């Protein structure tokens, strides 16, 4: 395994000391197959212990380590450093959210929006004895949207959200899609009423940043387009 | 696959029109869905008319624009109706587009209200200027027709 | 807590979709300004042949004709990107939106060259 020298610039911010975030440079030697998270770990464990960042599973399923690297939102544990050309990395916290410390951002608003669209099964009918029966193609419709790991990379990459904090954002709308298009769910009208708003689905301008940012390669914009048609069909 | 999307979209548009009739225009347009739909419908109309406009005025015509040449183009009532439709759709499409940008980026209530009234005033005045132009020019054509000197 | 992004994150990487959106907005805003001017100029038709011909002689100068070629390009971009948006919204174009964008840009470019040639050939170099 070959070693490689890289220069990492990280946007640091300590709310107790600093008024504004500032860039700090680290020169280090890492294995050439490391991911962004490996580099952060290397810095945190061996160079600078004060660096704060979120991490947990390091196998792209917990959704903790989304951050902006070289101008793109990525999941640090899933992204090899060779995705970016050259040996310079610029690591920032997710844009659009408030910074708590270093790379840790305030996700409260994100999860509050997620809760607003009621991300759980709403039932009118009695619960069946064994299981809900669903045809394969009915499930295929929501399969991809159901694998969202709530990392926030999409919502934070959305220019509509940068300009307007009240916008629900692609992640919450994708969750709405996942339940509205679920044949087992009965809360369709309720949810459509919530997302059919100027700060709901209609603030989506099909910019495709969310689709580029999604670490699970979910075709978010495609689902939001279907959702728009569905909302027009149902709620007016 | 095939033409599944066609039926899908047809049912969608019919459902939408029915819904507008049932629930009324104002309530639904407040939420942003109706302007979104009209923006797209007007876009298609503008696309077609602008292409006709470009072909008739620039691709097929020769020489510079002179008064009698432009006025004689607006002889046919159908052509004038097309111009009128273009005026309406372009004004709606353009000013709604500007309003969308304002809604995205302006969050101060007073400024927003000012820009909204500005958009409305500009829209109404441009509409009247455009309609007056169309009416007056077709009157010129009528006068020329009566005088019997059409070229 | 520190809020960094306020209106637009300028150093966020701009993908094809972002460029399409940014240029669509800017071209739209440019076109609404042009529309205002256009309606105002065409209104001089009602003020008689002399006035209109004067204005048109002024606008037939090479500078305005080249500006008109630019305008034709802006119109074509806005129109064809608009068609792309409609395909995305109603005809499941989101999956291959980049391909659609490049195809439409090529079509728009060809039309721009053809139309631009015609516009320039209308220039009256000598009045």
């Amino acid at each position: 395994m070959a070693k490689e020298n890289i220069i990492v610039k990280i946007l640091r911010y300590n709310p107790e000391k600093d008024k504004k975030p500032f860039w700090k440079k680290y020169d280090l030697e890492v294995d050439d197959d490391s991911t962004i998270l490996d580099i952060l770990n290397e810095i945190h464990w061996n160079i600078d212990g004060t660096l704060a960042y979120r991490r947990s599973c390091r196998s792209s399923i917990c959704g903790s380590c989304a951050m902006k690297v070289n101008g793109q939102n990525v999941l640090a544990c899933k992204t090899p450093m060779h995705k970016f050309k050259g040996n310079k990395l610029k690591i920032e916290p997710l844009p659009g959210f408030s910074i708590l410390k270093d790379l840790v951002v305030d996700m409260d608003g994100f999860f509050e929006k997620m809760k607003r669209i009621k991300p759980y099964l709403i039932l009118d009918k009695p619960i069946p004895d064994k299981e809900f029966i669903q045809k394969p193609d009915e499930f295929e419709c929501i399969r991809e949207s159901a694998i969202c790991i709530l990392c926030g990379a999409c919502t934070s990459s959305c220019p509509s959200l940068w300009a307007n904090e009240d916008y629900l954002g692609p992640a919450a709308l994708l969750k709405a899609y996942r339940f509205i298009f679920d044949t087992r769910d009965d809360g369709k009208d309720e949810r459509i009423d919530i997302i059919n708003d100027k700060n709901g689905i209609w603030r989506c301008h099909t910019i495709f940043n969310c689709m580029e940012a999604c670490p699970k390669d979910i075709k978010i914009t495609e689902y939001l387009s279907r959702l728009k048609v569905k909302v027009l069909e149902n709620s007016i | 696959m095939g033409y599944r999307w066609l039926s899908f979209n047809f049912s969608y548009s019919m459902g939408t029109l029915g819904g507008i009739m049932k629930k009324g225009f104002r309530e639904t347009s407040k939420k942003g869905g109706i302007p979104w739909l009209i923006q797209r419908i007007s876009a298609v109309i503008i696309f077609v008319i602008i292409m006709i406009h470009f072909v008739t005025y620039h691709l097929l015509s020769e020489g510079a624009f002179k008064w009698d040449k432009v006025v004689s183009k607006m002889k046919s009532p159908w052509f004038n109706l097309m111009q009128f439709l273009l005026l309406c759709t372009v004004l709606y499409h353009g000013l709604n587009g500007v309003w969308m940008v304002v809604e995205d980026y302006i969050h101060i209530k007073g400024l927003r209200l000012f820009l909204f009234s500005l958009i409305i005033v500009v829209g109404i005045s441009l509409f009247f200027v455009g309609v007056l132009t169309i009416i007056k020019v077709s009157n010129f054509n009528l006068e020329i027709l009566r005088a019997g000197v059409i070229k | 807590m520190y809020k960094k992004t306020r209106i637009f994150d300028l150093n966020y990487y701009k993908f094809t979709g972002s460029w399409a959106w940014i240029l669509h907005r800017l071209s739209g805003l440019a076109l609404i300004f042009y529309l205002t001017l256009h309606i105002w100029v065409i209104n001089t038709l009602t003020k008689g042949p002399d006035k209109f011909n004067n204005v048109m002689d002024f606008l037939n100068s090479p500078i305005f004709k080249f500006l008109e070629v630019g305008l034709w390009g802006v119109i074509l971009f806005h129109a064809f990107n608009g068609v792309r948006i409609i395909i995305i919204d109603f005809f499941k174009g989101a999956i291959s939106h980049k391909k659609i964008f490049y195809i439409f840009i090529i079509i728009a470019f060809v039309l721009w060259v053809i139309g631009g040639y015609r516009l320039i050939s209308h220039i009256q170099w000598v009045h």
Side-chain angles (χ1 to χ4, degrees), chain B residues 67 140, chain C residues 43-54:
Chain B
W67 188 82
F140 286 141
Chain C
N43 188 41
T44 54
L45 270 178
T46 60
K47 287 175 184 142
D50 297 337
K51 263 206 167 154
F52 181 77
N53 287 350
N54 274 342

Side-chain angles (χ1 to χ4, degrees), chain B residues 75-108:
Chain B
K75 268 190 303 233
S76 143
W78 293 110
F79 191 81
N80 289 340
L81 196 69
M82 193 180 84
Q83 298 283 359
F84 178 71
L85 188 65
L86 180 65
L87 180 74
C88 297
T89 45
V90 155
L91 280 178
Y92 180 84
H93 187 90
L95 293 174
N96 186 43
V98 174
W99 175 236
M100 253 161 39
V101 178
V102 170
E103 271 194 322
D104 271 359
Y105 292 106
I106 311 288
H107 300 300
I108 306 158

Side-chain angles (χ1 to χ4, degrees), chain A residues 36 69-72 74 79-89:
Chain A
I36 306 290
V69 181
N70 284 15
Q72 303 180 31
V74 296
T79 314
M81 69 179 199
H82 282 294
K83 189 191 171 183
F84 306 102
K85 279 169 197 149
N87 56 352
K88 280 180 188 162
L89 289 175

Side-chain angles (χ1 to χ4, degrees), chain C residues 57-112:
Chain C
D57 281 343
F58 178 62
L59 295 180
N60 268 330
S61 60
I63 301 168
F64 279 101
K65 279 289 167 187
F66 279 110
L67 280 176
E68 211 169 72
V69 175
L71 171 76
W72 175 229
V74 172
I75 289 173
L76 279 174
F77 176 81
H78 196 85
F80 279 90
N81 193 46
V83 174
R84 167 180 164 271
I85 291 174
I86 287 173
I87 291 175
I88 287 165
D89 284 334
F90 299 119
F91 304 113
K92 307 195 171 164
I95 296 153
S96 50
H97 72 102
K98 282 185 188 171
K99 240 186 249 166
I100 297 170
F101 182 72
Y102 293 127
I103 290 169
F104 277 148
I105 285 295
I106 292 167
I107 295 173
F109 184 76
V110 171
L111 289 177
W112 183 64

Side-chain angles (χ1 to χ4, degrees), chain B residues 12 40 59 61 64 67 104, chain C residues 25 45 53 89-90 118 122:
Chain B
Y12 142 66
R40 267 130 253 263
L59 273 186
S61 76
W67 188 82
D104 271 359
Chain C
R25 287 221 148 164
L45 270 178
N53 287 350
D89 284 334
F90 299 119
R118 277 302 283 177
H122 282 174

Side-chain angles (χ1 to χ4, degrees), chain B residues 6-143:
Chain B
L6 253 182
S7 56
F8 175 61
N9 286 294
F10 182 70
S11 76
Y12 142 66
S13 45
M14 293 327 280
T16 308
L17 289 176
I20 297 167
M21 284 169 188
K22 249 188 255 158
K23 276 208 174 177
F25 199 76
R26 260 188 89 195
E27 194 196 330
T28 43
S29 61
K30 253 186 192 170
K31 292 178 171 175
I34 294 300
W36 182 86
L37 188 67
I38 300 178
Q39 191 78 349
R40 267 130 253 263
I41 293 170
S42 62
V44 175
I45 297 171
I46 293 166
F47 186 92
V48 174
I49 299 182
I50 289 268
M51 290 304 151
I52 295 172
H53 184 96
F54 189 82
V55 168
T56 52
Y57 274 100
H58 300 281
L59 273 186
L60 298 181
S61 76
E62 291 291 338
F65 292 115
K66 291 286 175 210
W67 188 82
D68 28 342
K69 191 178 137 192
V70 179
V71 166
S72 68
K73 267 206 166 45
M74 289 165 80
K75 268 190 303 233
S76 143
W78 293 110
F79 191 81
N80 289 340
L81 196 69
M82 193 180 84
Q83 298 283 359
F84 178 71
L85 188 65
L86 180 65
L87 180 74
C88 297
T89 45
V90 155
L91 280 178
Y92 180 84
H93 187 90
L95 293 174
N96 186 43
V98 174
W99 175 236
M100 253 161 39
V101 178
V102 170
E103 271 194 322
D104 271 359
Y105 292 106
I106 311 288
H107 300 300
I108 306 158
K109 262 194 179 170
L111 188 57
R112 228 188 219 209
L113 199 70
F114 169 72
L115 288 169
F116 184 74
S117 30
L118 191 71
I119 287 171
I120 294 289
V121 168
V122 166
I124 289 174
S125 43
L126 282 181
F127 178 76
F128 277 108
V129 171
V131 168
L132 281 178
T133 312
I134 295 173
I135 291 174
K136 275 195 179 175
V137 171
S138 38
N139 275 340
F140 286 141
N141 271 314
L142 280 180
E143 280 164 29

